[in-house]
Amino acid sequence: AGELQVVLAVVDRIKGGAAIALSCDGTFLRGSSGLSVYTVRTLSQDGQIIDAGEAVLQVTAGPLTEVDAIFETLMIREANALNFTLSTTNAVPVGSRFEVVVPTDFSIANTLTVASVINGVTRLLAPSVSGLQILVRLQDAISEGAHFSILVSGVSNRGYTGYVNFQVRTLHRIAEAWEVGSTDLGGQVIDEGTVDMKVVALIVDNTTVTTDAGVAGSFGEVCFNSVLAAEIPGGGAIVLVFPDGYDTSLVSTDNFVVGGLDGFSAVSKSGLSVEMVRREGTIFGPGTEVIACIQNVGMPSYETSQ
């Protein structure tokens, strides 16, 4: 990519200290982000520089838009496979790079594989991993406004629920050290965007609920007996959410008793949700039986099977 030079012939003499405004219509910004430096010079009739200055423009990346996103699993701690179909804003030359940054607390396996599907051609790509960043070099050009897919296998979901996003970018290639006349666009972002995902919990196995307050409108103790489907770390939590119609207004943070777990815990309440956060203790794995009992829970004022 070479420089574009526009030379204008001045009919009248410009006095020193005069203000000059130049307007150029029909120009297009380059297809990558970063600083663009415009150099302005005044020249003598024989081409010698009289005055010179620079103007800097920060070019932002175009949007890399999600068309479709397929996840093999949304479950916590599960090994996942990603299939992202994306739409470009700017053209992506051959040899450009594609980057995906996985969310915090996700993990990337040594057996990671990445493939691209561009113009109907599927290619296996060699990934480079740095922390949570995965980089590959694209072997096909992608047209402006075109759809392409990236398939990633070997990423594991984090160990807790919530909404996350994967950062995705196309970037200009970085020239090899031995290349002559390489572009200064190396590594600059062409388009960028995000792909959203919701990490969900594993289903707790064999849960039973018992209470000594079976009469509608009465208050009493409610106990949950569950078998863990995933481990609870020392800093993990147990959250019990009661259905609509129950009354937790008399529940005290001192009325939450958990059997089967060790360590100190803190209890909080918000609406129909009661949460016990472990401050310390042993990591309990899948298959551990946990009994959580809460006192002073009000039953619904109508008959229910819950």
Side-chain angles (χ1 to χ4, degrees):
E3 294 182 349
L4 175 64
Q5 181 172 295
V6 179
V7 180
L8 303 175
V10 179
V11 178
D12 299 319
R13 180 174 178 271
I14 302 174
K15 296 181 180 180
I20 304 173
L22 299 176
S23 178
C24 298
D25 293 330
T27 59
F28 294 89
L29 294 178
R30 70 185 190 199
S32 66
S33 63
L35 295 177
S36 290
V37 180
Y38 295 80
T39 302
V40 182
R41 303 185 185 95
T42 55
L43 307 175
S44 64
Q45 289 183 332
D46 59 357
Q48 300 300 311
I49 297 175
I50 301 173
D51 291 325
E54 292 182 343
V56 178
L57 174 66
Q58 176 67 50
V59 181
T60 58
L64 188 58
T65 308
E66 174 191 335
V67 177
D68 190 24
I70 300 173
F71 302 94
E72 185 174 280
T73 178
L74 302 176
M75 296 292 186
I76 63 170
R77 294 190 180 88
E78 294 290 319
N80 209 343
L82 322 173
N83 186 342
F84 297 159
T85 299
L86 308 168
S87 177
T88 63
T89 297
N90 298 293
V92 181
V94 174
S96 297
R97 298 184 301 162
F98 178 83
E99 175 190 67
V100 56
V101 180
V102 304
T104 301
D105 293 334
F106 277 55
S107 61
I108 301 173
N110 294 330
T111 55
L112 177 77
T113 60
V114 181
S116 65
V117 182
I118 301 172
N119 300 322
V121 179
T122 302
R123 299 187 190 277
L124 193 63
L125 307 175
S128 173
V129 178
S130 176
L132 298 175
Q133 177 196 59
I134 302 170
L135 274 174
V136 292
R137 177 170 290 190
L138 301 174
Q139 300 177 22
D140 302 276
I142 307 173
S143 303
E144 174 185 331
H147 294 180
F148 71 101
S149 296
I150 293 291
L151 293 76
V152 180
S153 179
V155 174
S156 292
N157 299 336
R158 70 187 189 183
Y160 52 98
T161 63
Y163 288 93
V164 298
N165 62 68
F166 294 80
Q167 301 173 43
V168 290
R169 300 182 182 91
T170 53
L171 307 96
H172 279 284
R173 65 184 294 268
I174 296 179
E176 303 293 344
W178 47 264
E179 293 187 81
V180 179
S182 60
T183 174
D184 61 355
L185 300 182
Q188 292 181 354
V189 179
I190 302 172
D191 293 334
E192 63 182 353
T194 59
V195 177
D196 297 330
M197 171 187 170
K198 182 182 180 181
V199 183
V200 300
L202 293 168
I203 298 174
V204 178
D205 298 329
N206 305 322
T207 299
T208 58
V209 181
T210 57
T211 179
D212 59 3
V215 180
S218 63
F219 284 77
E221 182 181 66
V222 178
C223 291
F224 299 82
N225 189 318
S226 301
V227 177
L228 299 180
E231 69 178 29
I232 294 184
I238 294 177
V239 181
L240 302 178
V241 181
F242 289 89
D244 291 337
Y246 281 73
D247 186 349
T248 59
S249 61
L250 299 182
V251 172
S252 167
T253 55
D254 296 327
N255 298 142
F256 193 168
V257 179
V258 177
L261 301 179
D262 59 7
F264 168 76
S265 62
V267 178
S268 62
K269 184 182 68 172
S270 176
L272 293 174
S273 175
V274 181
E275 179 180 35
M276 183 210 76
V277 179
R278 301 181 69 205
R279 300 301 187 190
E280 58 185 18
T282 308
I283 297 176
F284 286 88
T288 302
E289 183 179 13
V290 176
I291 301 174
C293 294
I294 304 177
Q295 299 173 2
N296 297 330
V297 177
M299 300 296 107
S301 57
Y302 48 86
E303 184 177 350
T304 175
S305 60
Q306 294 176 316

